Amino acid sequence: MPLTKFGEVCHRLGIEMIYAHSPQAKGRVERWNGIHQDRLIAEMKLKNIKDIDSANRFLKEYYWEKNNRKFSKKPLSDEDFHIALMPDQDLRNYVCYTAECKVYRDYTIKFSKRIYQIEKKQPIAIKPGDNVILKTWLDGSIHIFKKTLCQENCV
């Protein structure tokens, strides 16, 4: 089964996704999302919130605490099951927009109606005809990696 972008990120990080296979579980997720879509928007309108800073302040100072008091449940275990990232794992390289591109004879890459010029001398030799991975991080910066046989080596 093909993975979503989120599924790809989880797979590359070694995170096992737990799917909601039953109609009941899917219904709980939909109800939970509906609660936030309906209740959150209505409460923000009542408080006359019209900008992001006010909305973030409202969430931190009021909404999450009230929401958690009403809907949260105590976990079965107090043990923290989070796993730390490996030193070579940079989340910016996982949670990003990724595209495969070809390097042209003039050391350019064409992507999304733009042309990127690569310097002929780089730390990792990229030459015309090579396939590269172009990553757009969430901060908008562009990063180019030489495509290798093992995709994990690109990061």
Side-chain angles (χ1 to χ4, degrees), residues 8-147:
E8 288 175 16
V9 170
C10 289
H11 176 73
R12 290 181 64 206
L13 288 170
I15 298 170
E16 179 185 351
M17 293 192 344
I18 302 171
Y19 297 95
H21 291 291
S22 71
Q24 294 84 359
K26 290 177 182 176
R28 282 191 295 271
V29 169
E30 291 302 319
R31 280 192 300 280
W32 181 250
N33 290 334
I35 286 168
H36 291 303
Q37 289 172 349
D38 297 338
R39 185 170 296 159
L40 177 59
I41 300 304
E43 288 193 37
M44 288 174 69
K45 282 181 182 175
L46 288 172
K47 301 273 185 193
N48 202 27
I49 295 173
K50 297 182 184 209
D51 62 89
I52 292 175
D53 290 334
S54 299
N56 285 333
R57 198 168 36 258
F58 169 76
L59 287 171
K60 287 177 190 172
E61 296 173 2
Y62 173 76
Y63 184 77
W64 290 128
E65 184 180 325
K66 177 185 168 198
N67 191 67
N68 287 339
R69 267 196 320 270
K70 186 170 185 174
F71 296 107
S72 67
K73 295 190 184 240
K74 185 166 174 45
L76 296 175
S77 170
D78 290 332
E79 188 175 347
D80 185 355
F81 289 97
H82 291 91
I83 298 172
L85 289 172
M86 301 300 285
D88 63 339
Q89 288 179 315
D90 185 344
L91 277 183
R92 296 173 300 181
N93 281 320
Y94 291 91
V95 184
C96 61
Y97 301 100
T98 305
E100 186 177 326
C101 304
K102 189 172 203 84
V103 178
Y104 291 97
R105 276 185 260 151
D106 58 354
Y107 285 86
T108 59
I109 298 169
K110 295 177 184 165
F111 174 72
S112 190
K113 299 182 183 178
R114 291 192 170 174
I115 298 174
Y116 297 94
Q117 179 72 56
I118 299 176
E119 293 183 16
K120 290 184 180 181
K121 292 184 180 181
Q122 323 106 28
I124 298 173
I126 297 175
K127 60 188 183 313
D130 284 347
N131 285 326
V132 294
I133 304 295
L134 188 137
K135 295 185 178 191
T136 306
W137 288 356
L138 298 183
D139 66 3
S141 60
I142 306 288
H143 303 268
I144 299 169
F145 299 87
K146 186 171 184 176
K147 184 174 181 193

